[in-house]
Amino acid sequence: MKIRIVFVLVSLVLSALTGCTFLKVSMIEEVQPFQEQVVSGRGKDKVLILDISGVIMAGESGAVPGGKTKPGLLASVRESLDRARKDDRIKAVVLRISSPGGGVTASDMLYQELKRFQQETGKVLHAHITDVGASGAYYAALAAGTITAQPTSVVGSIGVIMYRVDATSLLQKIGIQAAEISSGDKKSLGSPFRPLADDERKLFQGFIDSLFARFAGLVAAERKLSPDAVKKAADGRIMTSQEAQSLGLIDGIGYLDDAVESAKKKAGISDATVVMYVRPGEYRTTIYSQSMINIDFGGFTEPGAQFLYLWWP
C-alpha cells in the first residue's frame, strides 16, 4: 500500500513538472477476472468446483475490503460458466452448495444458467450440498444430473414465503400518521402503513400458490417424482440428508471427494485435475478452500413485499 501511495505521488509531481494533465488515478482496485487454480490431482482432463454460497440475490454484493464491489452470485456463476464453456478439457462441474436460497427470480435465473450450460456443453453437472441446500438453492441444484449431500446437511424447505412489515402500531406509539394517495385501492397493495385486508391477503396468496406450483412442478420433472411424492416432500420443512434421499430429493450421501469421484466416473475419466476459478489475491490450496461467502442482504432492505424461495429461521 505504501509503495502504491509513493507511486501516485511521484506520478502527480512528474505530471505537474511536464505539464501533462492526462493522468487518471484510482485508489480503488478493480475486481479482476477469474483465474484458474489447481487444487488437486493430475491429468489432462479437468473437474471444476464451482461455489454457490450465501443468499441468492440478483444484484451486486456490497463492498469488500479494499473498497471493491464484489460481483453478485449470479454474475460470478455466469462468468465461471462462460469460462468453462470455452475449456474443452473441463469434463465435469461440481457445484458446491451452501445456501438457504433467496429471491424467487434470482433462484430461477440461476437454475436456467446451470441448465443451459449443461444442455449446450454436454458436460457433467453434479450438485453437492455441504451445510445447507434449502429452498432456492435446492431449486438451482435441480439443474444437475446428480444431487448429493453431506451426512449432516440440511436439505429441503421447498416452498415460497413472503415477508411483510406492519408498522402501524409503531407509528401510532411515536405519533406519526402516514397518508397514502393512490390511483386505485390496490395500488398500495401490501403497504406497511396499514393492516393487510382480507382481499389483499388472497391476492398475495394467489401469487405464492402460483410460484409454489412452479417449484413443485420442477421438482417433479427433474427428479422424476409423482405428484403425491412431491406433495409429501414439499410441505416447506427442512430435512436431513437421509430423509431427503428416502423421498427422492437427492441421489446419495457422501463427501466432496465422493462427489468429485462420481462426476469423474459419469464423465468417463479416471485421472483429472481438480480446479477452481479464483480472483487475483485469493489463495486456495485444497478442494475445501472457498471464496468469500456472499452474505449480502441488501435486497431485503428494498421497499415492498418480496416473494422468496428462502429458508430463514
Side-chain angles (χ1 to χ4, degrees), residues 222-235:
E222 295 289 5
R223 300 300 302 170
K224 297 178 174 56
L225 297 175
S226 68
D228 288 340
V230 174
K231 184 177 180 180
K232 184 178 180 182
D235 60 358

Side-chain angles (χ1 to χ4, degrees), residues 4 26-32 60-71 279-282 292:
R4 185 179 303 161
S26 176
M27 298 299 292
I28 300 177
E29 295 181 4
E30 295 182 356
V31 176
Q32 299 298 312
E60 298 294 300
S61 294
V64 299
K68 296 178 286 187
T69 299
K70 181 185 176 188
R279 302 285 183 193
E282 291 183 343
M292 184 179 292

Side-chain angles (χ1 to χ4, degrees), residues 30-31 65 68 71 83 90 93 96 99-100 142 145 155 181 196 272 301 312:
E30 295 182 356
V31 176
K68 296 178 286 187
R83 183 183 177 112
I90 291 181
V93 177
R96 177 170 51 184
S99 168
L142 291 169
V155 186
I181 303 174
L196 192 66
T301 64
W312 193 7

Side-chain angles (χ1 to χ4, degrees), residues 88-312:
D88 293 335
R89 291 175 58 193
I90 291 181
K91 305 300 182 182
V93 177
V94 175
L95 306 173
R96 177 170 51 184
I97 298 175
S98 180
S99 168
V104 164
T105 299
S107 301
D108 184 63
M109 290 168 66
L110 182 56
Y111 165 82
Q112 292 296 334
E113 288 290 342
L114 295 168
K115 191 69 176 179
R116 186 180 303 114
F117 170 82
Q118 195 279 324
Q119 291 174 337
E120 291 176 353
T121 66
K123 300 178 190 289
V124 171
L125 193 62
H126 183 122
H128 181 71
I129 298 168
T130 55
D131 293 315
V132 180
S135 207
Y138 181 75
Y139 187 108
L142 291 169
T146 304
I147 305 175
T148 56
Q150 305 272 136
T152 55
S153 298
V154 174
V155 186
S157 189
I158 298 172
V160 191
I161 193 168
M162 185 193 83
Y163 291 103
R164 174 186 174 272
V165 175
D166 187 343
T168 52
S169 297
L170 175 62
L171 294 179
Q172 290 173 0
K173 287 181 179 179
I174 60 178
I176 296 178
Q177 183 176 1
E180 293 180 347
I181 303 174
S182 62
S183 58
D185 60 348
K186 297 297 186 294
K187 180 62 179 175
S188 60
L189 187 69
S191 170
F193 302 126
R194 57 179 175 75
L196 192 66
D198 290 341
D199 60 336
E200 293 178 318
R201 183 176 295 276
K202 290 180 180 179
L203 285 171
F204 280 126
Q205 189 64 54
F207 274 101
I208 290 173
D209 291 344
S210 176
L211 294 170
F212 173 71
R214 180 180 179 83
F215 198 162
L218 196 64
V219 174
E222 295 289 5
R223 300 300 302 170
K224 297 178 174 56
L225 297 175
S226 68
D228 288 340
V230 174
K231 184 177 180 180
K232 184 178 180 182
D235 60 358
R237 74 184 187 279
I238 57 171
M239 60 191 75
T240 64
S241 303
Q242 292 75 17
E243 186 176 5
Q245 184 177 20
S246 69
L247 292 172
L249 296 181
I250 64 174
D251 298 292
I253 299 172
Y255 296 91
L256 185 57
D257 280 324
D258 301 319
V260 171
E261 290 302 316
S262 175
K264 287 165 57 178
K265 185 177 180 180
K266 288 184 179 298
I269 56 179
S270 55
D271 295 323
T273 301
V274 180
V275 301
M276 296 180 184
Y277 292 153
V278 303
R279 302 285 183 193
E282 291 183 343
Y283 181 60
R284 308 193 204 181
T285 57
T286 72
I287 62 172
Y288 298 111
S289 303
Q290 290 183 303
S291 60
M292 184 179 292
I293 296 176
N294 169 30
I295 56 173
D296 179 40
F297 285 84
F300 294 116
T301 64
E302 296 176 359
Q306 297 186 60
F307 299 101
L308 304 167
Y309 289 146
L310 178 71
W311 175 55
W312 193 7

